[in-house]
Amino acid sequence: MSNYHIKNLQEYFHLYYKSVRNPELFWEEIAEENFVWRKRWDNVLSWDFTKPEIKWFEGAQLNITENCIDRHLHTRGDKTAIIFEPNNPNDPAEHITYKQLHERVCKFANVLKDKGVQKGDRICIYLPMIPELAVAVLACARIGAIHSVVFAGFSATALATRINDCDAKIVLTSDGSYRGAKTIDLKGIVDEALQDCPGVTKVLVAKRIQSDIHMEAGRDEWLQPLLDSAASNCEVEIMEAEDPLFILYTSGSTGKPKGMLHTTGGYMVYTAYTFKNVFQYRENDVYWCTADIGWITGHSYIVYGPLANGATTLMFEGVPSYPDFGRFWEVVQKHKVNQFYTAPTAIRALAKEGTEHLEKHDLSSLKVLGTVGEPINEEAWHWYNNNVGNSNCPIVDTWWQTETGGILISPIPFSTPTKPTYATLPMLGVQPALMDENGNEIKSNQVEGRLCIKFPWPSVARTIWGNHQRYKDTYFSAFENMYFTGDGALRDEVGYYRITGRVDDVIIVSGHNLGTAPIEDAINEHPAVAESAIVGFPHDVKGNALYGYVILKETGESRDRDNLRKEINQQITDKIGPIAKLDKIQFTVGLPKTRSGKIMRRILRKIASKDTSNLGDTSTLLNPEVVQKIMDDAF
Ligand code: WT7
């Protein structure tokens, strides 16, 4: 276990240099000493970023659920694997032991098998944050089915696109979900989506809100009776290390969502290793990540990483504001949470409420605080540090992406001195590079550039489902022999990294990754709209909010503007989901364009941010006169 647990900065540097000098040897030792393999690998790593093709632990065989569940049964059978904290604080929490998790996963896996699911089949999971979601994910992995979890806040259209893209035949969902004081008709959304998904033959429905829903004869079945009668043991499917584990969709700057494909062996090793070190998890700790399993954060750091370490991981069904803004702290106190991992947008929303809620709760169990999803601003960092951590808990600002599978840049608590707004140093084996506009690597410190990674790490996504060319174009073509992240970053005088934000047309709103193109497409489908352009502008809680510039067709000119604004946002809600709604909509007669017809978003961003003192060179525009017009209308 020597390499597995980093305890001080000296050890970090020692291991980091080892991991860079000989990555194969480094990861081989970690893999060998800390996991259960049915067959050893023939080759630790083969890679070629020009194809691109990356393979870790080729020839090895394993099942990730054997590593996340079965191997703990002797030593941790009665230990709580998952704490489920329901939406309603008056409902009891559920403690699921490793033994119980084993049985539930086996039963679920047997139900899937009984429905004809085989290794390699894609299963779409559209469930709220209830135990069935984690169990369903693990059940798929146990039998080698590829899960594709779709966040249960996405609309019917977004769900249908994702089901069809990976050709899923089975959908796992629930009657509905709770969200604070509201309920959401999930099954109704699924029914609507499935009108456009002829390939789906089976829908299994968990009961959560006891609502009266439509059950399509021959297609829909209640899950619970099937689980009740299923056998409680299910042998694991033996998987190759490079067999697919899951697909998870993420927005791109253009076109339809990208189904990032993650494989089994490397993903397991990397998420387990980073979980242990980034959160400094100790045997009896209670760890809580507030993300939804519908995002990569939940896959890697609610389910797989923690369970591979035999940890106790908390799943929270609710929202930070229900029944009031003290809910997070109530849950921390109630379950004596030791590691708490959330998003800057949540921190900013809570900070707005002052410290009154914090003072009512005992947070002394906390040891490590984490953040993820977007850059954390200095003010939010200090509020988190001073008030939640009592200046006593290191903050791990973890930078990573759906595509990276696991955390790539983060402090190691109690080892790496933290610095507000800095994600600090690369994880073991991770080799970042900053690139200039001409494609050259900037080697010095105190510089800013485009963030790339020079060498493969075990959990990098292997392809985009059904579109390897897009995978190559998006990540491996901007810079030669490098993985391009799409982010800008700054490196300070000691080599610490600070992520400055996206350098492409992706906007991060409340930690959600949104591409401008799909939103514009949704708006343009409105019959009164001729064209639109979306940009981000700073927002004190969401980090960024969306600003839409909309050109109306002649037929739309006479319409009431406020009604149109409502309809446009409804259109976005229907096509994508409420997370993509616009905060501001400005109707305009034109958009600044280059001579090649590209919208100059740089200018639109500045106007949206009320930062028009220096608009840069507008002389190359096709229609420079439109800029003044937009500014006049904006203010
Ligand atoms: C993008 C990836 C990784 C799980 C959640 C988001 C931004 C992520 C940080 C951070 C600054 C961050 C980046 C990245 N991002 N973490 N600690 N500091 N920015 O996953 O939806 O794939 O989004 O989120 O811009 O590229 P995702």
Side-chain angles (χ1 to χ4, degrees), residues 42-73:
D42 304 319
N43 190 19
V44 180
L45 170 66
S46 62
W47 64 293
D48 179 348
F49 275 178
T50 61
K51 282 185 175 167
E53 187 177 87
I54 304 154
K55 291 181 178 165
W56 283 92
F57 308 114
E58 217 181 336
Q61 293 181 334
L62 74 153
N63 185 287
I64 196 168
T65 71
E66 189 163 63
N67 283 275
C68 288
I69 308 171
D70 303 52
R71 66 154 156 165
H72 304 311
L73 293 177

Side-chain angles (χ1 to χ4, degrees), residues 272-462:
Y273 183 70
T274 47
F275 171 76
K276 176 74 182 171
N277 286 297
V278 169
F279 299 102
Q280 291 290 304
Y281 184 86
R282 304 290 171 118
E283 185 60 40
N284 293 313
D285 288 347
V286 173
Y287 161 86
W288 179 20
C289 165
T290 69
D292 192 290
I293 293 176
W295 309 114
I296 190 71
T297 309
H299 281 59
S300 302
Y301 300 110
I302 295 178
V303 181
Y304 289 115
L307 296 178
N309 281 282
T312 298
T313 175
L314 193 149
M315 267 181 87
F316 176 48
E317 185 188 24
V319 292
S321 55
Y322 178 80
D324 60 39
F325 279 97
R327 186 67 193 277
F328 273 4
W329 321 126
E330 186 201 316
V331 176
V332 168
Q333 173 180 322
K334 178 171 167 193
H335 298 293
K336 300 195 172 50
V337 170
N338 302 109
Q339 291 88 8
F340 177 73
Y341 190 27
T342 197
T345 184
I347 299 167
R348 287 189 296 263
L350 292 164
K352 259 195 150 167
E353 303 297 315
T355 54
E356 167 203 338
H357 289 292
L358 282 161
E359 284 150 14
K360 283 191 240 152
H361 296 97
D362 176 7
L363 306 183
S364 60
S365 57
L366 290 172
K367 296 195 282 193
V368 173
L369 302 176
T371 93
V372 62
E374 56 184 317
I376 180 164
N377 50 309
E378 189 125 11
E379 206 183 335
W381 195 98
H382 286 295
W383 188 86
Y384 199 30
N385 184 49
N386 298 342
N387 300 303
V388 182
N390 201 13
S391 306
N392 207 12
C393 303
I395 294 180
V396 290
D397 177 352
T398 64
W399 173 83
W400 57 298
Q401 311 177 294
T402 305
E403 296 86 336
T404 69
I407 295 165
L408 293 197
I409 303 182
S410 168
I412 307 279
F414 313 110
S415 296
T416 320
T418 58
K419 176 174 175 181
T421 76
Y422 280 75
T424 75
L425 297 172
M427 286 287 104
L428 288 285
V430 173
Q431 303 186 30
L434 295 181
M435 308 298 291
D436 69 19
E437 308 251 336
N438 305 320
N440 300 315
E441 183 174 352
I442 316 167
K443 300 259 184 179
S444 54
N445 284 351
Q446 290 185 286
V447 288
E448 190 167 354
R450 289 166 184 232
L451 181 60
C452 290
I453 315 287
K454 289 198 253 193
F455 194 88
W457 61 99
S459 65
V460 59
R462 305 298 196 259

